[in-house]
Amino acid sequence: MTVTRRKFIAGSLAGVGALGAGSAGLRYVSQAMAQPTRTEQTRYVNSSCNICVSACVFRGQVVNGVIKRLEPEPDFPKSRGMMCARGNAGAATPYDPNRVKSPMIRTGKRGEGKWRKASWDEAYRYIAEKTNRVVAEEGGHRSCIAFASTKGTFQEHYFHQFREVFGSPNAVRHPTLCLSAVIRGFQSVFGTYPAVDVRNSHYLILAGANLAEGIIPPATIDLFKRPIGSRKLIYLDPRFTKTAALADKWLPIKPGSDMAFALAMMNVIIGEGLHDQDFIDKHCVGFAELAEHVRQYTPEWAERETDISAGDIRQIAREFATTPSAVFYHGRRTTWQGDEVQTRRAIAMVNAIVGAFDRPGGLIPALEIPLAPYFYEPAWYTKFRPRLEQGDVTFMSPGDGAWIPWRDRALRSDPYAIRGLFIYKQNVLEMLPDRNKTLELFAKLDIIVCVDPFMSGTAWYSDVVLPESTYLERLDPAVALDEIEPVVIFRQPLIKPLYDTKPCFEIVSELAAYFKDEDGAPLSDYFEGSVESHTKAALADHPGSLDKLREKGFFSTDLKLKFGEYRSGKKTVRTKTGKVELYSEDFARRGLEPLPVYRRPADIGEGKFRFVVGRHAIHTHSSTAAFPDLNWHMKENAVWINPVSARKLGIKTGDTVLMKNRTGGEVKIKALLTEGIRPDCLYYANGFDSLSPDKPLVYGKGASQAAILESHFESISGSALLHETIVEIRRA
Ligand SMILES: Nc1nc2c(c(=O)[nH]1)N[C@H]1C(S)=C(S)[C@@H](COP(=O)(O)OP(=O)(O)OC[C@H]3O[C@@H](n4cnc5c(=O)[nH]c(N)nc54)[C@H](O)[C@@H]3O)O[C@H]1N2
Ligand SMILES: Nc1nc2c(c(=O)[nH]1)N[C@H]1C(S)=C(S)[C@@H](COP(=O)(O)OP(=O)(O)OC[C@H]3O[C@@H](n4cnc5c(=O)[nH]c(N)nc54)[C@H](O)[C@@H]3O)O[C@H]1N2
Ligand code: SF4
Ligand SMILES: [Mo]
């Protein structure tokens, strides 16, 4: 097989000049806001946030070369003039004293914290020497090196590109820790993971989608803007969250029984003839089979499964079916329990049978502004092996992988050995369930490289840490966000990089020079141009858009979403049949249940608890708990326990308790008694007890979720299951 060299799309690159290397962008000054005094030079730069995936566009104020504050860009349609606490606190990230300030090479044992500073060249040499050696030991199979990353920063594309030109199939990206189950579930019914028109919905059901704290603009903003009273919110969650506080009804559902609730809703809607027969006749297949299937799932049956009364289920089903803009929100992080994909299918079907699709206040496929491709063609290697966990998942996303089965196989070297892990923007030791297992994997590896601006727990256990410049110091290429109101955004630097740090594109394209392809050509040949030229190339079809980006941080086009295009036949849903699929022939062919069949979650056992996880509004995962501007609000996490359960165990608020799971995980943490959690569940916030002493504000404080979570996965989507952890608890 011949090796084709990767080339950026030549046409779009023609005539590309430098973007101005961060100069033109930096000079944008809003006349309305800038009030420089004689001594102070103030300028404003619009860019997009990187503290979570939502990438809200902000207006950054820079005074005398120092970032003072980030304010929301009022015209940005996705966040609608909002900037959350985390986004605000992001202004301090370049100045964090605990940043990694230059490449670091480990000198002591892993995790011992002995490092030496290195030049970039030294670090690259070190990585290449070790990596090339283990690849040679594996017979030249580059599949022994794996690549972990979280999508969401636009530089991640380059890391992904590096994996592809390096020639390893083993990408383990974040979707199976996040939303792969809901994507599979909704795709199988609607052909897509649609947007939800929360703004126009008069009847909204949220099942464990904690939009007030798991912030996802514009849905979160729209939730707060719905006039209370005229619009109903039904919220199902074993915990009383901030979203529960906004709801007309909080239903503390028994964990793992959401499918029973959805099936019983359909039993009522179809049984009482409240379904939208016209929509079903014109746009759906498999209604007869579904109607027959849900006859068994009565509200009385569901009451026993869910702890939600049959009366409530009937009332909600009737109101839902008769409100013309009702919607059952699909969910986001759906790494919950066993039947996750089928649960999401059931929720999709509740929407379908009342026609909550392609109508205001319902589900609608999002739109995306097309950008010209500026990446590369794939490289080919004659030595190729399929990814490790290829056969373990029905719907494998080859570019993303499935973390839990992948880690199990890597631990067993099944069917081949993994010798190295390159990590970009993922805190694998603190965000993967069962930290001990991940540590065990780390112990097996010969080379671990971590690209992170901070010394995360994962970086602390790596061999080489390559500090990326923060999002406020770099240019990130343009990205189209698929939304109800589609936009294109990018990032431009507010300040020059502090310390000896670089953006990912520079890091991977420089590192690539130390590796060769099968033709003997350096892999750096596959990296052409610069982030500037890629950005220009991507925008080739949108004249003037670069100026808009520089000025506003985003642009939109006349691409506008119109309701009714699917109903009128102008557009077709992207399923195999071109119809909304209630009964799935595709699932049946793959040996999966074509209709969602409910199975009761396993009993947790006397005196035990189910541990569930969930977001906190002022923190992102494991990465912000040590931000000083946020840490003051919660210096340590505490485990929520219902007073009824606590009394039986003699536990009071403030007591230190010991929690143990079934697979050797245990943590010590303070207790917080609250009626805001079911008596059979426990919860605490994420981000604490980091493994890294270089995060002093959270090192040794509280407990880590990754330390108590057991590892389980679901085989349809490969999704991790974070609510299958059963724990015992007692006073320490
Ligand atoms: N502030 C903040 N916002 C974020 C993020 C962040 O880290 N911080 N992260 C972003 C990301 S990546 C994601 S994926 C989203 C995730 O946002 P969400 O999808 O809202 O996810 P979580 O908050 O993790 O969990 C939702 C809720 O499910 C509840 N729950 C547990 N078990 C069950 C059950 O069986 N049934 C029901 N009905 N509920 C259950 C939990 O108690 C929890 O409150 O948030 C995004 N927004
Ligand atoms: N216990 C538990 N586990 C979970 C979840 C949970 O709720 N609880 N949620 C799951 C979900 S929904 C998701 S999406 C994943 C998220 O998993 P991760 O993406 O691993 O989560 P973060 O804690 O945000 O870690 C991101 C890392 O990237 C670094 N970082 C930040 N900015 C940059 C940058 O610009 N460049 C680089 N190179 N690095 C950067 C941060 O310092 C941090 O170390 O976790 C999943 N796992
Ligand atoms: S929701 Fe908050 S943290 Fe996330 S991108 Fe927007 S401002 Fe940043
Ligand atoms: Mo996520």
mmCIF file with all atom_site columns, all heavy atoms in Angstrom, residues 645-657:
data_model
loop_
_atom_site.group_PDB
_atom_site.id
_atom_site.type_symbol
_atom_site.label_atom_id
_atom_site.label_alt_id
_atom_site.label_comp_id
_atom_site.label_asym_id
_atom_site.label_entity_id
_atom_site.label_seq_id
_atom_site.pdbx_PDB_ins_code
_atom_site.Cartn_x
_atom_site.Cartn_y
_atom_site.Cartn_z
_atom_site.occupancy
_atom_site.B_iso_or_equiv
_atom_site.pdbx_formal_charge
_atom_site.auth_seq_id
_atom_site.auth_comp_id
_atom_site.auth_asym_id
_atom_site.auth_atom_id
_atom_site.pdbx_PDB_model_num
ATOM 1  N N   . SER A 1 645 ? -32.191 8.306  56.537 1.00 0.00 ? 645 SER A N   1
ATOM 2  C CA  . SER A 1 645 ? -31.130 7.288  56.444 1.00 0.00 ? 645 SER A CA  1
ATOM 3  C C   . SER A 1 645 ? -30.003 7.599  57.422 1.00 0.00 ? 645 SER A C   1
ATOM 4  O O   . SER A 1 645 ? -29.436 6.695  58.038 1.00 0.00 ? 645 SER A O   1
ATOM 5  C CB  . SER A 1 645 ? -30.548 7.248  55.032 1.00 0.00 ? 645 SER A CB  1
ATOM 6  O OG  . SER A 1 645 ? -31.570 7.232  54.087 1.00 0.00 ? 645 SER A OG  1
ATOM 7  N N   . ALA A 1 646 ? -29.692 8.874  57.543 1.00 0.00 ? 646 ALA A N   1
ATOM 8  C CA  . ALA A 1 646 ? -28.579 9.273  58.408 1.00 0.00 ? 646 ALA A CA  1
ATOM 9  C C   . ALA A 1 646 ? -28.868 8.900  59.864 1.00 0.00 ? 646 ALA A C   1
ATOM 10 O O   . ALA A 1 646 ? -27.977 8.422  60.582 1.00 0.00 ? 646 ALA A O   1
ATOM 11 C CB  . ALA A 1 646 ? -28.333 10.773 58.282 1.00 0.00 ? 646 ALA A CB  1
ATOM 12 N N   . ARG A 1 647 ? -30.118 9.111  60.277 1.00 0.00 ? 647 ARG A N   1
ATOM 13 C CA  . ARG A 1 647 ? -30.490 8.813  61.661 1.00 0.00 ? 647 ARG A CA  1
ATOM 14 C C   . ARG A 1 647 ? -30.222 7.344  61.981 1.00 0.00 ? 647 ARG A C   1
ATOM 15 O O   . ARG A 1 647 ? -29.669 7.015  63.019 1.00 0.00 ? 647 ARG A O   1
ATOM 16 C CB  . ARG A 1 647 ? -31.966 9.162  61.880 1.00 0.00 ? 647 ARG A CB  1
ATOM 17 C CG  . ARG A 1 647 ? -32.248 9.744  63.262 1.00 0.00 ? 647 ARG A CG  1
ATOM 18 C CD  . ARG A 1 647 ? -33.655 10.302 63.382 1.00 0.00 ? 647 ARG A CD  1
ATOM 19 N NE  . ARG A 1 647 ? -33.915 11.436 62.506 1.00 0.00 ? 647 ARG A NE  1
ATOM 20 C CZ  . ARG A 1 647 ? -34.972 11.530 61.677 1.00 0.00 ? 647 ARG A CZ  1
ATOM 21 N NH1 . ARG A 1 647 ? -35.864 10.558 61.592 1.00 0.00 ? 647 ARG A NH1 1
ATOM 22 N NH2 . ARG A 1 647 ? -35.139 12.597 60.933 1.00 0.00 ? 647 ARG A NH2 1
ATOM 23 N N   . LYS A 1 648 ? -30.601 6.466  61.057 1.00 0.00 ? 648 LYS A N   1
ATOM 24 C CA  . LYS A 1 648 ? -30.398 5.023  61.286 1.00 0.00 ? 648 LYS A CA  1
ATOM 25 C C   . LYS A 1 648 ? -28.916 4.694  61.477 1.00 0.00 ? 648 LYS A C   1
ATOM 26 O O   . LYS A 1 648 ? -28.566 3.744  62.159 1.00 0.00 ? 648 LYS A O   1
ATOM 27 C CB  . LYS A 1 648 ? -30.906 4.224  60.077 1.00 0.00 ? 648 LYS A CB  1
ATOM 28 C CG  . LYS A 1 648 ? -32.416 4.148  59.999 1.00 0.00 ? 648 LYS A CG  1
ATOM 29 C CD  . LYS A 1 648 ? -32.812 3.172  58.902 1.00 0.00 ? 648 LYS A CD  1
ATOM 30 C CE  . LYS A 1 648 ? -34.221 3.462  58.424 1.00 0.00 ? 648 LYS A CE  1
ATOM 31 N NZ  . LYS A 1 648 ? -34.465 3.076  57.047 1.00 0.00 ? 648 LYS A NZ  1
ATOM 32 N N   . LEU A 1 649 ? -28.068 5.485  60.831 1.00 0.00 ? 649 LEU A N   1
ATOM 33 C CA  . LEU A 1 649 ? -26.624 5.209  60.898 1.00 0.00 ? 649 LEU A CA  1
ATOM 34 C C   . LEU A 1 649 ? -25.916 6.084  61.927 1.00 0.00 ? 649 LEU A C   1
ATOM 35 O O   . LEU A 1 649 ? -24.692 6.028  62.073 1.00 0.00 ? 649 LEU A O   1
ATOM 36 C CB  . LEU A 1 649 ? -25.995 5.444  59.512 1.00 0.00 ? 649 LEU A CB  1
ATOM 37 C CG  . LEU A 1 649 ? -26.460 4.500  58.409 1.00 0.00 ? 649 LEU A CG  1
ATOM 38 C CD1 . LEU A 1 649 ? -26.124 5.054  57.030 1.00 0.00 ? 649 LEU A CD1 1
ATOM 39 C CD2 . LEU A 1 649 ? -25.841 3.117  58.574 1.00 0.00 ? 649 LEU A CD2 1
ATOM 40 N N   . GLY A 1 650 ? -26.693 6.892  62.620 1.00 0.00 ? 650 GLY A N   1
ATOM 41 C CA  . GLY A 1 650 ? -26.098 7.768  63.633 1.00 0.00 ? 650 GLY A CA  1
ATOM 42 C C   . GLY A 1 650 ? -25.196 8.843  63.041 1.00 0.00 ? 650 GLY A C   1
ATOM 43 O O   . GLY A 1 650 ? -24.226 9.271  63.657 1.00 0.00 ? 650 GLY A O   1
ATOM 44 N N   . ILE A 1 651 ? -25.513 9.271  61.824 1.00 0.00 ? 651 ILE A N   1
ATOM 45 C CA  . ILE A 1 651 ? -24.657 10.263 61.156 1.00 0.00 ? 651 ILE A CA  1
ATOM 46 C C   . ILE A 1 651 ? -25.290 11.647 61.261 1.00 0.00 ? 651 ILE A C   1
ATOM 47 O O   . ILE A 1 651 ? -26.490 11.813 61.031 1.00 0.00 ? 651 ILE A O   1
ATOM 48 C CB  . ILE A 1 651 ? -24.452 9.874  59.665 1.00 0.00 ? 651 ILE A CB  1
ATOM 49 C CG1 . ILE A 1 651 ? -23.643 8.585  59.577 1.00 0.00 ? 651 ILE A CG1 1
ATOM 50 C CG2 . ILE A 1 651 ? -23.766 11.003 58.893 1.00 0.00 ? 651 ILE A CG2 1
ATOM 51 C CD1 . ILE A 1 651 ? -23.592 7.975  58.188 1.00 0.00 ? 651 ILE A CD1 1
ATOM 52 N N   . LYS A 1 652 ? -24.474 12.631 61.625 1.00 0.00 ? 652 LYS A N   1
ATOM 53 C CA  . LYS A 1 652 ? -24.941 14.021 61.698 1.00 0.00 ? 652 LYS A CA  1
ATOM 54 C C   . LYS A 1 652 ? -24.154 14.873 60.692 1.00 0.00 ? 652 LYS A C   1
ATOM 55 O O   . LYS A 1 652 ? -23.047 14.502 60.297 1.00 0.00 ? 652 LYS A O   1
ATOM 56 C CB  . LYS A 1 652 ? -24.748 14.582 63.105 1.00 0.00 ? 652 LYS A CB  1
ATOM 57 C CG  . LYS A 1 652 ? -25.616 13.908 64.171 1.00 0.00 ? 652 LYS A CG  1
ATOM 58 C CD  . LYS A 1 652 ? -25.510 14.575 65.531 1.00 0.00 ? 652 LYS A CD  1
ATOM 59 C CE  . LYS A 1 652 ? -24.138 14.489 66.171 1.00 0.00 ? 652 LYS A CE  1
ATOM 60 N NZ  . LYS A 1 652 ? -23.683 13.108 66.453 1.00 0.00 ? 652 LYS A NZ  1
ATOM 61 N N   . THR A 1 653 ? -24.717 16.017 60.335 1.00 0.00 ? 653 THR A N   1
ATOM 62 C CA  . THR A 1 653 ? -24.006 16.936 59.443 1.00 0.00 ? 653 THR A CA  1
ATOM 63 C C   . THR A 1 653 ? -22.640 17.277 60.038 1.00 0.00 ? 653 THR A C   1
ATOM 64 O O   . THR A 1 653 ? -22.543 17.584 61.231 1.00 0.00 ? 653 THR A O   1
ATOM 65 C CB  . THR A 1 653 ? -24.821 18.222 59.234 1.00 0.00 ? 653 THR A CB  1
ATOM 66 O OG1 . THR A 1 653 ? -25.955 17.897 58.437 1.00 0.00 ? 653 THR A OG1 1
ATOM 67 C CG2 . THR A 1 653 ? -24.018 19.296 58.500 1.00 0.00 ? 653 THR A CG2 1
ATOM 68 N N   . GLY A 1 654 ? -21.610 17.198 59.221 1.00 0.00 ? 654 GLY A N   1
ATOM 69 C CA  . GLY A 1 654 ? -20.261 17.530 59.681 1.00 0.00 ? 654 GLY A CA  1
ATOM 70 C C   . GLY A 1 654 ? -19.464 16.317 60.128 1.00 0.00 ? 654 GLY A C   1
ATOM 71 O O   . GLY A 1 654 ? -18.236 16.384 60.229 1.00 0.00 ? 654 GLY A O   1
ATOM 72 N N   . ASP A 1 655 ? -20.152 15.190 60.371 1.00 0.00 ? 655 ASP A N   1
ATOM 73 C CA  . ASP A 1 655 ? -19.410 13.971 60.733 1.00 0.00 ? 655 ASP A CA  1
ATOM 74 C C   . ASP A 1 655 ? -18.566 13.516 59.544 1.00 0.00 ? 655 ASP A C   1
ATOM 75 O O   . ASP A 1 655 ? -18.995 13.625 58.391 1.00 0.00 ? 655 ASP A O   1
ATOM 76 C CB  . ASP A 1 655 ? -20.389 12.809 61.029 1.00 0.00 ? 655 ASP A CB  1
ATOM 77 C CG  . ASP A 1 655 ? -21.049 12.946 62.392 1.00 0.00 ? 655 ASP A CG  1
ATOM 78 O OD1 . ASP A 1 655 ? -20.640 13.849 63.147 1.00 0.00 ? 655 ASP A OD1 1
ATOM 79 O OD2 . ASP A 1 655 ? -21.984 12.167 62.676 1.00 0.00 ? 655 ASP A OD2 1
ATOM 80 N N   . THR A 1 656 ? -17.409 12.964 59.833 1.00 0.00 ? 656 THR A N   1
ATOM 81 C CA  . THR A 1 656 ? -16.647 12.342 58.751 1.00 0.00 ? 656 THR A CA  1
ATOM 82 C C   . THR A 1 656 ? -17.140 10.908 58.599 1.00 0.00 ? 656 THR A C   1
ATOM 83 O O   . THR A 1 656 ? -17.282 10.181 59.580 1.00 0.00 ? 656 THR A O   1
ATOM 84 C CB  . THR A 1 656 ? -15.146 12.357 59.074 1.00 0.00 ? 656 THR A CB  1
ATOM 85 O OG1 . THR A 1 656 ? -14.748 13.721 59.193 1.00 0.00 ? 656 THR A OG1 1
ATOM 86 C CG2 . THR A 1 656 ? -14.330 11.704 57.956 1.00 0.00 ? 656 THR A CG2 1
ATOM 87 N N   . VAL A 1 657 ? -17.456 10.544 57.345 1.00 0.00 ? 657 VAL A N   1
ATOM 88 C CA  . VAL A 1 657 ? -17.964 9.195  57.094 1.00 0.00 ? 657 VAL A CA  1
ATOM 89 C C   . VAL A 1 657 ? -17.025 8.458  56.146 1.00 0.00 ? 657 VAL A C   1
ATOM 90 O O   . VAL A 1 657 ? -16.280 9.070  55.381 1.00 0.00 ? 657 VAL A O   1
ATOM 91 C CB  . VAL A 1 657 ? -19.392 9.225  56.486 1.00 0.00 ? 657 VAL A CB  1
ATOM 92 C CG1 . VAL A 1 657 ? -20.385 9.790  57.479 1.00 0.00 ? 657 VAL A CG1 1
ATOM 93 C CG2 . VAL A 1 657 ? -19.424 9.998  55.177 1.00 0.00 ? 657 VAL A CG2 1
#
